[in-house]
Amino acid sequence: MSEILVLVDHVDGEVKKVTLELLTLARSLGTPAAVWAGPGITDAAKARLAEYGAEKIYVEGSGDIVDFVVAPKAELLAHLMAEKSPAAVLVAATSEGKEIAGRLAVKTDSGVITDAVGLGEGFVAEQSIFGGGVNVRSRVRRGTPIVAVRPNSTAPVAAAGAGAEEQVSLMLSGSARGARVLDRVKQEKGARPELTEAAIVVSGGRGVGSAENFSVIEGLADALGAAVGASRAATDAGWYPHQFQVGQTGKTVSPQLYVAAGISGAIQHRAGMQTAKTIVAINKDPEAPIFELADYGVVGDLHQVVPQLAEEVKKRK
Amino acid sequence: MNIVVCVKQVPDTATERKLRSDDKTLDRDAVDGVVNELDEYAVEEALKLKEAHGGEVTVLTMGPGKATETIRKALAMGADKAVHLTDDALHGSDALSTSYALSQALKRIGFDLVVLGSESTDARTGMLPAMLAERLDVPQLTLANKVEIEGGEVVIQRITDYGYDKVAAELPAVLSVVEKINEPRYPSFKGIMAAKKKPVETLAIGDAEIAADQVGLGAAWSEVVEFAAAPPRAAGTIVKDEGDGGQKAADFLASKKFI
Ligand SMILES: Cc1cc2nc3c(=O)[nH]c(=O)nc-3n(C[C@H](O)[C@H](O)[C@H](O)COP(=O)(O)OP(=O)(O)OC[C@H]3O[C@@H](n4cnc5c(N)ncnc54)[C@H](O)[C@@H]3O)c2cc1C
Ligand SMILES: Nc1ncnc2c1ncn2[C@@H]1O[C@H](COP(=O)(O)O)[C@@H](O)[C@H]1O
């Protein structure tokens, strides 16, 4: 079976969960080969990739790859596509993943599909568009399929692969060195799972009322082992940092469970969360549109309901 | 500085959007077109940069005839002139074709800086800015929530999962902006009147040396195989909090094995 390249998403030497999902998906369609771009690969990371089925691990470990924005990673993948003729290339549908996919598609004259929530035989991708109103099946018909897959689209399943490491060295072109990263600024990130990867997300909106009150949301999130999200009204008010915004112009999340507290459910918010498998809403307005999406809704004051729910969760765990 | 801002007309997100049953493309005739919300931030940023550094702002739109409404709005906000790339041959173009067509138009117009929104509300690919940088062979300064230009160098804050990256590049470059970057101005009455007299150049594909076999539905690198309205979500259970709302919600979570 031919190889399927999976671009590894990693932070501080750790492989992100979405990569394990992509390897699982790749295994059902061909032979997964992981591509590691940048310095910092560890034995533990290699073992993890192999555990989830990577037969090969291509490593280009130079700093240049990550010191310039997006273009070097696209160049690396293009180089591997020319050399290995894979059947497809999978990346995570994060903002950066989609940008990499876009540049790669131009470079290799190949079709690209973004925000796939499923991928089957013949690399036919499933997508959910127009705020969840329409389900689409689409496919690439020119070149090698490049598919950006949303985190949480598949459950990662371990199945050992050989994990044979192969060093790759790439001569970066001048064009790929156009946009230099001068500095990386990390804003507070606690022990919580990352928003786009989390199986459970608890989000707060304008109804939370203040920055201090977000501790109510965090309390429930921690009881459930969830990530915290926020509506734009809450991030605009400065109650929660922008990188936690869920929606059209924030993160797109697709968790198993999404809890929305004090969020009305504006179309731009829905665009970022409507593919969640189960949705729970807490809102004091029975007419709030979020209830149209909710599998379970509580009409009430979140300041009562959410702490009580957090207590119950802790009790029953 | 010669700034070109790419603005797209999209269906109003408040209306029901549909795919056409014949060729499976977005039905643009059936719905009201509005400026892609995120592109208003791109126009605003372009105007601010012009105000600070001088130059001219040109609006570039690829879309059907009625996209002129969108162009007028951007002109009313304060852009100087516009180019409307419109041709039946462009109907059904995917992201690869659109980026190709826009890049050809941009080469013809000439630019120091191209400014885009970070995403369109209809296609939602978020790829156009990166694709344009690749095609035009200029640096990619995307997902900016802050932009500064000094001399020939642009420095942005690029939004990331963990916070932001500070990124620098020389002009010419492609810039995309997120909605935190500014507050778009409303067109004034004077602006709306002035917009009517501003020049709008209409280009067909031949005028911008766009190869017919690289655009439109026939050339698309990807295709919709089939589509269907999403099955309606089964109506959920909604309860009123009687002092035990949290417990009831916990019962629900337990029934779904979340706890
Ligand atoms: C270009 C653009 C991009 C956008 N992108 C995004 C985006 O990415 N993400 C996003 O979220 N929004 C986005 N928006 C904004 C969006 O339109 C809404 O304004 C926003 O989602 C509203 O946030 P909210 O639901 O928290 O606030 P509101 O709409 O004000 O709703 C607050 C809700 O809280 C309820 N409430 C109040 N007090 C309590 C209480 N004590 N207990 C329980 N419930 C209570 C109220 O009944 C109400 O339903 C965007 C808008 C634009 C124009
Ligand atoms: N047809 C178009 N005409 C002009 N600009 C466009 C067009 N399509 C996309 N863009 C620009 O590209 C950005 C990203 O769009 P997208 O990649 O479709 O999500 C938009 O915010 C616009 O600035």
Side-chain angles (χ1 to χ4, degrees), chain A residues 102-134:
Chain A
R103 293 192 76 127
L104 182 63
V106 171
K107 277 184 191 299
T108 60
D109 197 29
S110 290
V112 55
I113 290 174
T114 55
D115 286 299
V117 292
L119 190 62
E121 189 105 359
F123 300 102
V124 174
E126 288 160 40
Q127 292 163 296
S128 163
I129 62 169
F130 302 155
V134 179

Side-chain angles (χ1 to χ4, degrees), chain A residues 1-4 23-33 53 55 87-88 123:
Chain A
M1 270 202 289
S2 29
E3 232 167 57
I4 296 178
L23 288 170
T24 305
L25 207 52
R27 229 165 52 218
S28 67
L29 299 161
T31 307
E55 289 297 332
F123 300 102

Side-chain angles (χ1 to χ4, degrees), chain A residues 296 309 312-313 316, chain B residues 245-255 259:
Chain A
Y296 197 83
L309 174 55
E312 278 301 311
V313 171
R316 299 187 195 191
Chain B
Q247 283 153 6
K248 283 191 173 149
D251 291 342
F252 172 77
L253 294 185
S255 76
I259 46 175

Side-chain angles (χ1 to χ4, degrees), chain A residues 103-211:
Chain A
R103 293 192 76 127
L104 182 63
V106 171
K107 277 184 191 299
T108 60
D109 197 29
S110 290
V112 55
I113 290 174
T114 55
D115 286 299
V117 292
L119 190 62
E121 189 105 359
F123 300 102
V124 174
E126 288 160 40
Q127 292 163 296
S128 163
I129 62 169
F130 302 155
V134 179
N135 292 337
V136 168
R137 281 156 56 79
S138 48
R139 69 180 178 94
V140 162
R141 48 174 218 187
R142 288 170 71 176
T144 306
I146 300 168
V147 187
V149 183
R150 276 205 190 151
N152 284 316
S153 297
T154 330
V157 179
E165 186 175 343
E166 189 178 317
Q167 295 294 328
V168 183
S169 81
L170 180 71
M171 275 293 289
L172 265 198
S173 73
S175 306
R177 297 168 185 272
R180 316 185 295 287
V181 178
L182 303 177
D183 195 11
R184 283 177 232 282
V185 180
K186 303 210 171 170
Q187 288 166 332
E188 58 186 288
K189 177 184 179 292
R192 296 193 186 94
E194 194 178 308
L195 185 53
T196 49
E197 296 221 328
I200 304 181
V201 175
V202 181
S203 288
R206 199 193 304 276
V208 175
S210 67

Side-chain angles (χ1 to χ4, degrees), chain A residues 294-314:
Chain A
D295 299 287
Y296 197 83
V298 180
V299 179
D301 187 343
L302 72 93
H303 298 102
Q304 310 296 324
V305 177
V306 174
Q308 188 181 66
L309 174 55
E311 273 316 303
E312 278 301 311
V313 171
K314 279 189 243 164

Side-chain angles (χ1 to χ4, degrees), chain A residues 204-209 230-236 239 242 245-251 258 261-272 282-291 298-305, chain B residues 36-39 41 121 179:
Chain A
R206 199 193 304 276
V208 175
S231 73
R232 179 169 168 200
T235 57
D236 273 358
W239 300 344
H242 171 252
Q245 181 175 314
V246 171
Q248 175 93 57
T249 48
K251 300 275 153 54
Y258 188 85
I263 292 177
S264 60
I267 184 92
Q268 295 92 349
H269 188 77
R270 291 175 178 217
I282 298 141
N283 195 305
K284 65 180 184 189
D285 173 11
E287 304 294 323
I290 191 79
F291 285 127
V298 180
V299 179
D301 187 343
L302 72 93
H303 298 102
Q304 310 296 324
V305 177
Chain B
N36 178 39
E37 283 166 322
L38 281 156
D39 297 349
Y41 299 81
T121 55
E179 102 291 351

